Amino acid sequence: MYWYNGALIGDNRIFLDIHDPGLLYGATVFTTVRVYARSLDHPLTHWQDHLERLRSSLQAFDWPLPDWKRLRNGAETLALSFPVLRITLFPDAREWIVGRSLPADLQQIQQQGILGWVADSPRYTRAIADNKTGNYLPAWLAGQEARQKGAREAILVDRSGNWLETATGNLWGWKEDCWYTPALESGILPGIARAKLLHRLHEHSIPVRENLWTPDFIAGLSVLAYSNSVVEIVPFDRVLTDSSSLTFDRSGRALDRVREYFQTG
């Protein structure tokens, strides 16, 4: 079941013209929404922020805006059955919404952490990194290789080996009583969960800085985690690199204070 171009369709196939640029080139923009309590208006759903992400990308590419009322109708319809919605827009303003479940082991990985892998080649960096486009092949390939190595998530790097983001989210690190996250100028996606956590940390006077994640900086991190709108925040237990394995603390008050945001909004 999915929503496409104004209609709910009870099928697992979509029919596109063979010349559709979305099919040929990944010419779409999308956002992934976690719907809390089946409500688009729940404060943690951040519905308006997801709409703004779509709107800003459409304006950047000079694509027409969709029928926002129709898009919301589709999202509300699917939110009755699915806690996660992927909302995609085509260059001609067609909307396509699919739903899925939360990861079955989400609570477990939020507490116990995951194994990560550093995708040590810049070929895995995302195209047009400041917009969430349908051309997600580099990040997808990095995620596939991470799983082949037994890891849950890939960490993407630039040409100098600086860490940027993960294949599906934004990085967070803790050292010397301060949270850090890679700066947007590094060439990363401005994640919605990232923005909300930054605001939360500033609001509660918890030290946080945006910076360049060089190898020397990374070596001093005691906690490493990643965030996105679906998983909230998940710590890394270990990260595999070309030559070694890095170990991080997956518990402690620093992480608890970040987790509190998703409990209170």
Side-chain angles (χ1 to χ4, degrees):
M1 178 172 64
Y2 63 93
W3 179 276
Y4 176 62
N5 202 25
L8 183 65
I9 299 174
D11 201 344
N12 61 358
R13 297 168 296 176
I14 189 169
F15 295 92
L16 298 174
D17 188 286
I18 61 172
H19 300 295
D20 192 303
L23 176 63
L24 293 177
Y25 310 113
T28 61
V29 297
F30 76 96
T31 191
T32 305
V33 184
R34 177 169 173 177
V35 183
Y36 288 77
R38 296 186 177 184
S39 172
L40 300 185
D41 297 318
H42 189 284
L44 286 176
T45 300
H46 300 308
W47 176 247
Q48 293 301 324
D49 295 280
H50 286 282
L51 293 186
E52 182 54 35
R53 161 181 281 172
L54 293 171
R55 182 182 292 107
S56 63
S57 293
L58 294 173
Q59 292 173 341
F61 301 151
D62 198 25
W63 293 354
L65 300 180
D67 182 329
W68 296 112
K69 183 177 180 180
R70 192 173 75 179
L71 185 149
R72 182 180 174 105
N73 186 28
E76 287 180 329
T77 300
L78 287 180
L80 297 175
S81 302
F82 301 102
V84 180
L85 305 179
R86 187 185 194 273
I87 302 173
T88 302
L89 297 176
F90 290 84
D92 61 359
R94 279 171 293 147
E95 79 282 358
W96 173 31
I97 309 173
V98 295
R100 69 173 190 261
S101 301
L102 290 168
D105 61 349
L106 180 56
Q107 289 187 340
Q108 177 182 335
I109 65 174
Q110 286 173 334
Q111 296 300 318
Q112 298 182 9
I114 62 170
L115 177 64
W117 169 70
V118 179
D120 57 352
S121 170
R123 69 174 179 164
Y124 292 122
T125 55
R126 295 187 305 103
I128 317 178
D130 54 348
N131 290 282
K132 205 162 187 176
T133 71
N135 182 6
Y136 228 67
L137 181 59
W140 183 83
L141 288 174
Q144 292 295 106
E145 187 164 349
R147 282 183 279 278
Q148 291 172 9
K149 297 178 182 297
R152 181 70 173 251
E153 184 71 11
I155 295 174
L156 311 183
V157 304
D158 65 15
R159 294 186 180 279
S160 299
N162 303 313
W163 290 11
L164 299 175
E165 58 192 339
T166 76
T168 65
N170 292 112
L171 287 167
W172 296 88
W174 175 262
K175 64 185 293 187
E176 300 171 352
D177 297 322
C178 182
W179 277 109
Y180 293 85
T181 189
L184 296 182
E185 293 78 12
S186 302
I188 64 170
L189 179 74
I192 290 172
R194 177 187 182 276
K196 296 302 178 183
L197 285 176
L198 276 173
H199 176 76
R200 172 79 171 192
L201 294 171
H202 285 304
E203 185 178 50
H204 288 263
S205 300
I206 300 172
V208 58
R209 298 176 185 172
E210 301 174 69
N211 67 327
L212 182 67
W213 279 36
T214 65
D216 287 342
F217 169 79
I218 294 160
L221 292 175
S222 59
V223 175
L224 179 69
Y226 81 101
S227 67
N228 66 38
S229 293
V230 174
V231 303
E232 299 174 343
I233 190 159
V234 170
F236 287 91
D237 178 40
R238 286 193 304 130
V239 171
L240 304 176
T241 70
D242 259 355
S243 57
S244 66
S245 173
L246 306 175
T247 302
F248 299 94
D249 183 6
R250 61 179 186 269
S251 61
R253 181 57 179 160
L255 269 172
D256 287 342
R257 295 196 70 179
V258 173
R259 293 186 181 108
E260 287 172 1
Y261 167 74
F262 297 102
Q263 299 167 1
T264 61

